[in-house]
Amino acid sequence: MALPPNFLDELRARTPLAPLIGRRVRLARNGRQWKGCCPFHNEKTPSFYVYDDHYHCFGCGQHGDAIGFTMQTEGLAFREAVERLAGEAGLEVPRESPRQVAKEARARDLHDVLQVACEAMQRRLRAPEGRAALDYLRGRGLTEETIARFGLGWSGAGRGALAADLKPLGIEPRQLAEAGLTKPAEGREGAYNDFFYNRVMFPIRDRRGRIVSFGGRILGEGQPKYLNGPETDVFSKRRTLYGLDMAREAVFRGKARLVVAEGYMDVIALHQAGFEGAVAPLGTALTAEQMEEVWRITPEPVLCLDGDAAGRRAAARTSEMVLPLIGTERTLHFATLPQGQDPDDLIAKKGAPAFEAVLASAKPLSVAIYDLMAEGRPLGTPEGRAAFRNDLAAAAGRIPDKSLASEYRSALLNRFFESSRPPRPPRPPFTPGARKGAPFRPPPRLPPRAAPEAGNTRLQQARCLLAITLAHPWLLNEVEEAFALLELPHGPPSALQAALLAWHAGRALTDVSEGAAASLDSADLVDHLNATGLEEARAWVMGAPGLPREASPDAQPAETLDGWWHFFGFLRGEGALVEDLDAAGRDLVAANDAAAQSRVIRLSQALSALRRGETGLEAELESGAESASP
């Protein structure tokens, strides 16, 4: 009995290859895969590679999956190897049943029907009736070798031509209908019409190279221009990619990069030009199931779309679709063709190097999604900017991996602020001791604070930072970008953060035309918060007992800045602070000014305090203890 494909896929998914092969081969990490000496031939230099779902020896050519490795190394038959692995994976091998046997036989029959139908269509392409179709393919620049390799054909003019061709082989109209090649004729019981007629035919294969359906392009006028076969027992449009069987082999052997193009002819033209990793969805938007198929082959495919409006809309849909699916092990790049050109147009006019340049300029997902989301947005108003920033943060929040989501949020918001920051006036080089003849002294360090008691530490840290910001809104001129990168607790803290950033953005846009920094008035801020329904949130912050001294209105500017960065460090986290400090150091080398110097010092102090195990709440706890004592 042939085992169900879904069971075998589940077995392979539950059998990690590296541990299985590692029982017999000493493996070492080599980038994303493992490497060792081949167990199938004598070698001293390792050429045996183990990937997520297969292994391959570049010395002797042996390759396969977990089942194949068990068969080859233990001398087992296929069924025996499956039973061995299933026992280890906790799976029960399906028992033979009449229904299962019938289903598998039917699937084999459908593949056979589709194969002989493909051969009949290929013959028709070379017959006089297929001359127009053959001329069309040659006119698109396809060679005889390419036409044969992809099995291209001609459907005929309909009227039962395909059924007549296949009748001598014993294939009945019912089988043609089950394979998606014919459909019941309206008003004529037991009669069938051809599904495809007057079309150039493109066989669609699954990842194993078996024909599962066809696509057809009409010649001359008519709609739809491209038509795919209907859903059948062996064909699901949303799970299938055109050209996947050929692309998989090319990528597997390291001959090509996997590129997702738009249609049949794009894939064929790219393969002919040497880009043998090209695949395409079947006339629809790329689906999550198709992306899973692509990621089984490579972790970083390239989506290559036309540069017109339709191509941009398709790219935007895809970027939104993949965000909940990406992770640290898999992502997507976006390449855009010149306006009005398909891959075969570009290659025909400028050669393969022109398409190679398109691939080389592909944007990572984090860059492409910003560009796609920014297109057509009204970013000249405070409302438009605030809405765009919220959308960027929401897009990053759709990524399941929290660490990756945080990195995306930082990258998107950093670019947002960089694009909207007014140009800084040039400053003279900063030289310690040059100001008023005084020697350079770093800002004083805050005294060490005692370890906090248990409690909702992060919420209290956010309250302290917001209290300092609300009491001294002028801080936002210096700390806006850092403030936007924080992920404050949900509720009043995050609501106040968004309101403060929106208010500051509006004030900055008002004053930028005058070449001045944003004029930030406390009374104006209070009015803004009251108007946006955040009066209670502000009271929750400012009415708390034991707020830090930096939150008092009479705190000195240097002291206020020290306190703000102190709490920023605790909320930002050690890993992010290290990256912030590295970036600030690079800015200092490039700008060599007092602002950059100050940022390095403050971030260093925040990181030191965090590493000393402080929380910033020690003074608050002491204040609370004093007020509670008799």
Side-chain angles (χ1 to χ4, degrees):
M1 164 194 165
L3 294 169
N6 59 343
F7 166 76
L8 295 177
D9 288 341
E10 177 71 12
L11 177 61
R12 294 181 182 104
R14 289 202 190 184
T15 308
L17 260 184
L20 175 69
I21 294 176
R23 300 173 190 172
R24 294 178 172 269
V25 179
R26 186 174 180 179
L27 298 174
R29 267 285 185 190
N30 186 63
R32 302 180 62 87
Q33 60 271 339
W34 299 82
K35 184 178 180 181
C37 289
C38 179
F40 305 113
H41 79 286
N42 248 342
E43 65 174 5
K44 296 182 179 179
T45 303
S47 61
F48 181 78
Y49 285 78
V50 180
Y51 304 87
D52 289 340
D53 62 350
H54 67 276
Y55 62 87
H56 182 76
C57 177
F58 290 92
C60 68
Q62 286 280 4
H63 62 274
D65 58 10
I67 300 171
F69 185 82
T70 305
M71 292 172 64
Q72 290 176 298
T73 56
E74 300 187 26
L76 301 177
F78 177 80
R79 180 87 185 196
E80 293 171 328
V82 167
E83 290 174 349
R84 170 78 59 84
L85 294 175
E88 295 180 0
L91 291 173
E92 183 176 349
V93 179
R95 297 181 180 276
E96 185 172 3
S97 69
R99 182 178 179 183
Q100 182 63 35
V101 171
K103 184 177 179 181
E104 290 163 5
R106 184 181 180 190
R108 284 196 301 274
D109 288 346
L110 291 183
H111 288 304
D112 291 342
V113 168
L114 290 162
Q115 180 61 45
V116 296
C118 179
E119 293 167 2
M121 293 172 185
Q122 288 177 284
R123 289 193 297 270
R124 283 186 177 277
L125 182 68
R126 304 292 175 174
E129 65 173 294
R131 182 58 184 268
L134 186 58
D135 288 345
Y136 165 78
L137 295 172
R138 289 170 174 168
R140 293 293 298 265
L142 302 189
T143 64
E144 297 295 329
E145 179 185 357
T146 298
I147 293 171
R149 184 185 178 205
F150 281 86
L152 307 184
W154 172 245
S155 66
R159 296 183 294 275
L162 183 60
D165 275 353
L166 301 186
K167 186 176 181 180
L169 300 176
I171 295 176
E172 302 173 0
R174 172 190 57 80
Q175 293 175 289
L176 294 176
E178 291 175 353
L181 295 168
T182 63
K183 56 186 177 182
E186 293 183 11
R188 290 185 295 154
E189 188 174 350
Y192 294 88
N193 291 331
D194 289 351
F195 191 86
F196 299 99
Y197 53 90
N198 288 333
R199 291 180 180 270
V200 178
M201 300 300 291
F202 301 82
I204 300 170
R205 295 179 171 86
D206 63 12
R207 67 197 319 266
R208 293 168 58 184
R210 300 173 300 182
I211 298 177
V212 293
S213 187
F214 290 88
R217 186 197 191 281
I218 198 166
L219 286 187
E221 299 300 322
Q223 291 295 330
K225 184 178 179 181
Y226 282 94
L227 178 67
N228 295 308
E231 300 276 315
T232 68
D233 287 348
V234 296
F235 175 58
S236 170
K237 185 185 300 184
R238 66 181 298 105
R239 299 177 185 276
T240 308
L241 287 156
Y242 183 69
L244 184 66
D245 57 319
M246 298 181 185
R248 180 174 180 267
E249 185 68 16
V251 175
F252 170 70
R253 297 193 178 280
K255 295 169 57 179
R257 188 176 183 182
L258 196 141
V259 179
V260 182
E262 289 202 27
Y264 303 122
M265 289 302 300
D266 293 332
V267 170
I268 296 172
L270 287 170
H271 276 254
Q272 181 172 280
F275 300 96
E276 297 181 10
V279 300
L282 303 178
T284 60
L286 199 61
T287 66
E289 291 86 350
Q290 288 167 339
M291 278 306 309
E292 293 292 347
E293 283 291 329
V294 167
W295 278 322
R296 289 177 70 180
I297 299 172
T298 179
E300 296 186 6
V302 179
L303 179 62
C304 182
L305 298 170
D306 293 346
D308 57 13
R312 291 192 295 273
R313 286 194 299 271
R317 288 194 301 269
T318 301
S319 66
E320 293 175 6
M321 179 269 292
V322 300
L323 280 174
L325 306 176
I326 65 169
T328 56
E329 298 293 324
R330 59 188 196 177
T331 185
L332 181 62
H333 293 255
F334 288 76
T336 304
L337 289 161
Q339 182 78 26
Q341 288 191 327
D342 294 328
D344 51 340
D345 295 330
L346 181 64
I347 292 168
K349 292 176 182 176
K350 299 184 178 180
F355 188 77
E356 197 69 68
V358 169
L359 294 183
S361 62
K363 300 175 183 177
L365 177 59
S366 60
V367 175
I369 196 170
Y370 184 98
D371 293 340
L372 292 166
M373 292 178 67
E375 187 170 347
R377 301 291 291 256
L379 300 181
T381 65
E383 294 82 2
R385 282 174 46 77
F388 181 44
R389 185 173 57 221
N390 291 340
D391 288 347
L392 291 174
R398 297 182 63 201
I399 300 172
D401 186 298
K402 297 303 181 185
S403 297
L404 184 60
S406 178
E407 291 297 327
Y408 262 72
R409 188 174 189 271
S410 298
L412 293 172
L413 291 180
N414 279 343
R415 186 173 171 193
F416 171 81
F417 287 113
E418 185 67 30
S419 66
S420 56
R421 184 191 298 120
R424 290 184 179 180
R427 299 185 181 184
F430 174 72
T431 306
R435 235 194 289 176
K436 298 183 181 180
F440 169 74
R441 294 187 180 87
R445 287 179 174 271
L446 294 174
R449 308 188 183 194
E453 297 178 5
N456 196 345
T457 303
R458 186 169 180 81
L459 183 64
Q460 298 308 316
Q461 289 168 339
R463 175 183 277 178
C464 291
L465 180 132
L466 286 167
I468 298 172
T469 311
L470 289 168
H472 307 281
W474 57 266
L475 282 166
L476 291 170
N477 281 335
E478 179 169 331
V479 303
E480 179 192 28
E481 293 181 41
F483 188 42
L485 296 178
L486 289 176
E487 295 187 18
L488 297 186
H490 182 69
S494 61
L496 283 170
Q497 178 189 30
L500 280 164
L501 289 168
W503 174 74
H504 179 257
R507 300 300 301 165
L509 282 174
T510 302
D511 294 337
V512 69
S513 59
E514 303 173 8
S519 53
L520 306 180
D521 179 71
S522 296
D524 182 62
L525 173 58
V526 171
D527 291 342
H528 173 75
L529 295 178
N530 292 344
T532 52
L534 292 174
E535 185 175 4
E536 290 186 8
R538 178 180 176 278
W540 173 79
V541 171
M542 301 307 294
L547 289 175
R549 59 183 179 275
E550 297 89 351
S552 63
D554 56 351
Q556 295 299 308
E559 180 185 25
T560 301
L561 273 170
D562 282 339
W564 195 95
W565 284 106
H566 193 71
F567 285 104
F568 170 85
F570 300 125
L571 290 163
R572 183 75 167 132
E574 182 173 349
L577 267 182
V578 170
E579 295 180 4
D580 292 344
L581 185 57
D582 289 343
R586 292 192 294 271
D587 290 344
L588 177 59
V589 171
N592 192 28
D593 62 15
Q597 176 84 12
S598 175
R599 185 174 176 82
V600 168
I601 292 171
R602 295 184 192 284
L603 287 170
S604 298
Q605 291 175 341
L607 183 60
S608 297
L610 186 65
R611 287 173 170 171
R612 288 197 300 269
E614 300 176 13
T615 68
L617 302 177
E618 293 78 10
E620 178 185 356
L621 292 171
E622 291 170 6
S623 174
E626 289 174 5
S627 62
S629 55

